[in-house]
């Protein structure tokens, strides 16, 4: 008997499955539901292709017919597509649907997503950015611009992680968007925490609450003032030192002249001379790893075959994100020792 693909029945089955596997559908600390689909906890089922709509993908350009023919001839199991159960739009896997149709199949394996259309778009962007045929830069920027409008309180880094862009690029997109004029004073970060862009008022309120009740806990004051406990601790320390709870803003320095790019070979030579690295096994292991992954010279872009360009671009963007996150973590270690 044919399945009934009503949004209510599908939503109930998908939500119950995710919650049973430890994925709370209302939590905000996950970048998107994509993590649940990566982990394989979302059930799959065979869906009639005739019931599907192909309008949910963030990809604006057409994929070559040759690519679809390659998928159809591959003869290997492909990942299930992801379908928005409210609209039956294909969020991830449009090319797999076209390849299945080309192979004269009338059903395809699918996973369903239950949520509003804005959340469905977020899932579609992250899924198409994370695997398969990469989105173009134009598609990723267009997707980020839409997410800035539909999720204005989300941080630039959160949107960057979803769209495969840098946080600075998302910040520039936000500044050009209409949401900038009416922006909130808070941002919801990748960890689900809401943080103020300007904590001045929260600091002043925290100072007043401390003076009114010196025994009140830092966490209680933090909740009442809408700032982090670490900020409340700084306010208490400043008050104890006779300072104002709000630090004096430093004047913005004049723009710096462009700094020359560092020479990676010179950096490696300097690191190799450092006794803390070259005289320890862990240090030598790190040096070998850095030497193997350090890039020098001009990339041979002209030698890239056109049919490999998208895959190589995706690999380059992945490596760029990895190195950026690695650099942030190392910088954090440097800050902790200062």
């Amino acid at each position: 008997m044919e399945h009934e693909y009503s949004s209510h029945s599908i939503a109930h089955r998908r939500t119950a499955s995710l919650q049973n596997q430890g994925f709370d559908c209302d939590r905000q600390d996950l970048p998107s539901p994509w993590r649940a689909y990566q982990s394989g906890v979302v059930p799959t089922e065979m869906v009639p292709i005739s019931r599907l709509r192909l309008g949910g993908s963030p990809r604006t350009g057409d994929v070559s017919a040759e690519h679809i023919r390659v998928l159809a001839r591959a003869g290997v199991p492909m990942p299930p597509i992801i379908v928005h159960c409210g609209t039956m739009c294909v969020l991830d896997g449009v090319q797999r649907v076209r390849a299945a149709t080309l192979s004269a199949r009338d059903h395809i394996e699918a996973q369903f997503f239950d949520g509003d259309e804005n959340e469905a778009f977020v899932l579609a962007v992250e899924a198409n950015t994370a695997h398969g045929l990469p989105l173009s830069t134009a598609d990723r920027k267009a997707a980020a611009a839409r997410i800035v409008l539909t999720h204005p309180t989300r941080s630039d880094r959160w949107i960057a992680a979803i769209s495969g862009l840098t946080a600075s690029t998302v910040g520039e997109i936000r500044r050009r968007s209409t949401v900038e004029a009416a922006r909130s004073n808070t941002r919801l970060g990748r960890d689900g925490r809401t943080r103020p862009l300007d904590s001045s008022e929260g600091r002043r309120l925290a100072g007043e609450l401390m003076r009114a009740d010196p025994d009140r806990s830092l966490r209680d004051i933090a909740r009442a003032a809408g700032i982090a406990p670490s900020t409340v601790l700084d306010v208490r320390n400043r008050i104890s030192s006779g300072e104002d709870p709000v630090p004096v803003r430093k004047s913005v320095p004049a723009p710096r002249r462009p700094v020359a790019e560092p020479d990676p070979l010179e950096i490696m030579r300097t690191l190799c001379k450092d006794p803390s690295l070259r005289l320890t096994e862990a240090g030598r292991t790190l040096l070998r790893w850095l030497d193997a992954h350090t890039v020098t010279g001009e990339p041979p872009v002209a030698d890239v075959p056109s049919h490999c360009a998208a895959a190589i671009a995706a690999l380059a963007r992945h490596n760029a994100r990895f190195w950026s996150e690695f650099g942030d973590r190392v910088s954090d270690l440097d800050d902790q020792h200062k």
Side-chain angles (χ1 to χ4, degrees):
M1 184 173 66
E2 184 178 3
H3 286 284
E4 290 295 327
Y5 293 95
S6 69
S7 63
H8 175 76
S9 62
I10 292 173
H12 177 76
R13 293 200 301 273
R14 300 307 172 277
T15 303
S17 174
L18 288 176
Q19 291 174 339
N20 288 339
Q21 296 291 339
F23 289 88
D24 185 343
C25 297
D26 293 326
R27 288 185 58 178
Q28 296 176 323
D29 57 348
L30 298 181
S32 81
W34 172 238
R35 186 175 301 179
Y37 292 89
Q38 282 182 308
S39 67
V41 302
V42 180
T44 65
E45 58 187 87
M46 300 303 293
V47 177
I49 293 177
S50 61
R51 300 292 303 275
L52 300 175
R53 296 173 54 197
L54 304 184
S57 171
R59 195 183 308 278
T60 56
D62 289 332
V63 176
S64 70
E66 177 59 27
H67 176 76
I68 296 173
R69 284 194 291 269
V70 169
L71 290 179
R73 294 194 301 262
V76 296
M78 288 185 286
I81 64 173
I82 303 177
V83 179
H84 183 217
C85 64
T87 62
M88 295 302 287
C89 278
V90 177
L91 305 179
D92 178 47
V94 170
Q95 312 314 321
R96 278 165 271 164
V97 173
R98 291 175 174 169
T101 302
L102 189 62
S103 301
R105 293 163 51 195
D106 55 11
H107 284 69
I108 191 169
E109 188 178 26
Q111 296 169 307
F112 283 89
F113 170 71
D114 174 40
D116 64 32
E117 293 191 36
N118 290 332
E119 293 301 328
F121 183 76
V122 169
L123 173 60
V125 173
E126 190 171 16
N128 280 272
T129 300
H131 77 151
L133 193 64
L135 293 174
S136 68
T137 301
D139 284 344
R140 286 182 284 117
K141 287 184 176 180
R146 173 173 168 178
I147 296 173
V148 163
L149 292 175
T150 59
H151 297 70
T153 62
R154 286 291 193 174
S155 68
D156 292 345
R157 294 186 67 179
W158 184 88
I159 297 175
I162 297 295
S163 59
L165 300 170
T166 64
S168 59
T169 299
V170 175
E172 180 61 31
I173 291 171
R174 188 189 297 274
R175 285 188 289 274
R176 295 198 305 264
S177 73
T178 57
V179 75
E180 180 68 14
R183 66 180 179 179
S184 168
N185 190 44
T186 61
R187 288 287 183 270
L188 187 61
R190 291 187 294 177
D191 58 359
R193 289 184 175 183
T194 299
R195 295 178 175 84
L197 296 178
D198 183 357
S199 62
S200 301
E201 290 302 319
R203 281 176 170 270
R204 293 191 183 93
L205 177 57
E208 294 173 5
L209 294 174
M210 284 180 192
R211 295 185 184 98
D213 185 1
D215 297 327
R216 192 169 180 177
S217 72
L218 296 182
R219 290 191 176 277
D220 192 20
I221 294 175
R223 283 192 294 269
I227 56 179
S230 59
T231 305
V232 178
L233 176 60
D234 182 66
V235 169
R236 186 175 69 179
N237 292 338
R238 295 180 67 83
I239 291 176
S240 299
S241 302
E243 299 179 80
D244 191 277
V246 182
V248 178
R249 291 182 178 273
K250 297 181 180 179
S251 59
V252 179
R256 296 180 180 179
R257 289 192 297 178
V259 179
E261 284 289 323
D263 181 357
L265 297 179
E266 184 59 35
I267 292 174
M268 283 302 303
R269 281 193 289 268
T270 301
L271 291 175
C272 289
K273 296 176 183 177
D274 191 313
S276 63
L277 292 174
R278 67 184 180 86
L279 298 181
T280 64
E281 184 58 34
R284 288 192 292 270
T285 300
L286 176 60
L287 287 173
R288 287 192 293 269
W289 187 88
L290 289 173
D291 184 57
H293 295 86
T294 298
V295 179
T296 60
E298 289 292 327
V301 177
D303 299 330
V304 175
S306 59
H307 67 279
C308 297
I312 294 175
L315 179 61
R317 284 192 289 267
H318 164 79
N319 290 341
R321 288 194 296 272
F322 171 87
W323 276 106
S324 177
E325 292 175 4
F326 178 74
D328 290 343
R329 290 164 61 187
V330 174
S331 295
D332 290 342
L333 290 175
D334 185 46
D335 292 340
Q336 292 171 13
H337 288 86
K338 288 181 178 178

